[in-house]
Amino acid sequence: MSLRPTLETRQATPTLEGAGVKLHRAFGFQDPSEMDPFLLFDDFRNELTEDFEKGFPWHPHRGIETITYVLSGSVEHGDSLGNKGTLGAGDVQWMTAGRGIMHQEMPQGNRNGQMHGFQLWGNLPGSLKMTDPRYQDVAGKEIPEVIDDDGTRVKVIVGEYWGKKGPVDGIAADPQYLDIYVPPGVQKTFKIDTYRRAFAYVFEGAAAFVDAAKPTGVLLEKEVAGQEVNIRDLSGNRTLIRFGNGDEVSLQAGAEGVRFLLISGAPIDEPVAWHGPIVMNTREELMQAFSELRNGTFIKPAH
């Protein structure tokens, strides 16, 4: 087994999106090869209704898939295919935009006016960019949870963990998407397929992620998975950790425990032409998509 090195640790950046929704962006609209097959990750978390109530009105997508995971509050959605519904706390929606879809997402706060959720964009390979659009809506009660003897809890949203399979399937990037809680002080190691790109996003508590590339000999307090780690070097709220190659990720939870997303996927390794909500392989395909938006031919009949 080989421990994955930490390539980068960074804080999510405050951003305005949609009609003025305040959110934090962990990555997106930079180098698309950095997180391939993933393009963007947003954490929309607000205590004040006015920070999210204007939502994400009608807008197009083509060439990508999006996964929306709601922790509190709800999101009302509708699209050009006639689909509509509401995602509640714990619910997940994976949308394959394929050849083109228009949709809107309007967040609603919980009884205290709070809203929290995540949205991840996954790229589609060129062979599937013009596929039929589709939705997968999954209720929170359908998401399996693995509970370890040490108190660790893992919700399996996509992929498999300890023999439990997530309810969302048929995704081009074949990802693994786990929502993980590790109790205070617990040391834990998670296996990840060697050939996948991987990142963690901490959103509650804090943890020290073991860096296989970090030299020893500094002031150390614990040893995790055979590697020394300074547990005072903690990654906390809204921290992205990007990992290098290997087949394990190890961590030491902080004094309050830690909750984070662990996401990995198989790289597509194709050219990316990207502007706003549309991601294609070439500039010509991108220009054609925006031309179709202007002339009203963007939404195409089912195959």
Side-chain angles (χ1 to χ4, degrees):
M1 295 294 180
S2 60
L3 199 61
R4 286 181 178 245
T6 299
L7 298 181
E8 182 182 15
T9 299
R10 66 174 182 245
Q11 291 295 114
T13 305
T15 307
L16 279 178
E17 197 54 87
V21 177
K22 292 182 179 180
L23 52 82
H24 283 72
R25 179 158 292 155
F27 63 86
F29 296 105
Q30 295 168 329
D31 179 2
S33 66
E34 180 181 82
M35 295 289 193
D36 182 20
F38 306 114
L39 297 163
L40 175 146
F41 181 85
D42 284 343
D43 177 351
F44 49 97
R45 181 186 337 182
N46 294 295
E47 303 290 327
L48 301 175
T49 303
E50 57 264 32
D51 289 343
F52 62 80
E53 63 184 350
K54 294 182 180 178
F56 307 91
W58 292 99
H59 58 280
H61 282 295
R62 176 179 286 180
I64 66 171
E65 299 183 279
T66 67
I67 183 169
T68 304
Y69 179 29
V70 179
L71 292 185
S72 63
S74 61
V75 177
E76 295 181 357
H77 66 89
D79 67 43
S80 52
L81 301 176
N83 298 310
K84 60 182 179 179
T86 301
L87 298 176
D91 296 348
V92 174
Q93 179 191 84
W94 198 295
M95 181 194 74
T96 303
R99 64 176 178 272
I101 199 167
M102 299 287 293
H103 78 150
Q104 68 171 355
E105 300 153 301
M106 306 302 288
Q108 308 289 322
N110 59 20
R111 66 179 62 185
N112 297 318
Q114 300 161 330
M115 175 71 208
H116 190 193
F118 306 104
Q119 188 167 91
L120 174 70
W121 291 13
N123 199 6
L124 282 170
S127 60
L128 295 176
K129 283 193 178 294
M130 297 300 284
T131 193
D132 290 346
R134 69 174 181 137
Y135 275 91
Q136 295 183 68
D137 283 350
V138 178
K141 63 184 179 182
E142 299 175 31
I143 297 173
E145 184 175 42
V146 175
I147 303 176
D148 201 350
D149 291 341
D150 60 12
T152 298
R153 294 173 175 263
V154 180
K155 292 184 178 180
V156 188
I157 296 169
V158 187
E160 293 189 27
Y161 182 78
W162 278 21
K164 298 274 182 123
K165 184 174 176 58
V168 180
D169 60 12
I171 307 305
D174 188 27
Q176 184 183 53
Y177 189 130
L178 306 176
D179 175 354
I180 300 172
Y181 167 74
V182 180
V186 171
Q187 302 174 6
K188 205 70 181 176
T189 298
F190 299 93
K191 297 186 187 310
I192 300 176
D193 188 286
T194 306
Y195 300 102
R196 294 169 178 264
R197 294 264 169 78
F199 69 91
Y201 182 77
V202 176
F203 61 94
E204 288 180 12
F209 286 81
V210 182
D211 187 349
K214 189 177 282 187
T216 60
V218 295
L219 180 62
L220 304 167
E221 297 181 354
K222 288 286 183 180
E223 186 173 283
V224 182
Q227 297 287 325
E228 292 178 317
V229 58
N230 184 349
I231 64 170
R232 289 178 294 183
D233 184 19
L234 298 178
S235 297
N237 187 23
R238 295 194 177 104
T239 301
L240 173 79
I241 302 98
R242 186 164 64 93
F243 300 109
N245 294 330
D247 51 22
E248 290 184 340
V249 168
S250 288
L251 63 95
Q252 165 95 28
E256 298 178 356
V258 65
R259 190 173 176 190
F260 64 101
L261 304 178
L262 183 59
I263 299 174
S264 62
I268 294 174
D269 290 327
E270 292 182 355
V272 173
W274 181 6
H275 184 77
I278 298 175
V279 184
M280 304 302 289
N281 288 113
T282 67
R283 177 172 171 77
E284 289 73 24
E285 291 170 338
L286 195 62
M287 292 175 65
Q288 179 181 345
F290 280 97
S291 174
E292 292 174 358
L293 269 175
R294 290 191 297 270
N295 65 29
T297 61
F298 184 80
I299 302 300
K300 303 186 183 304
H303 290 162

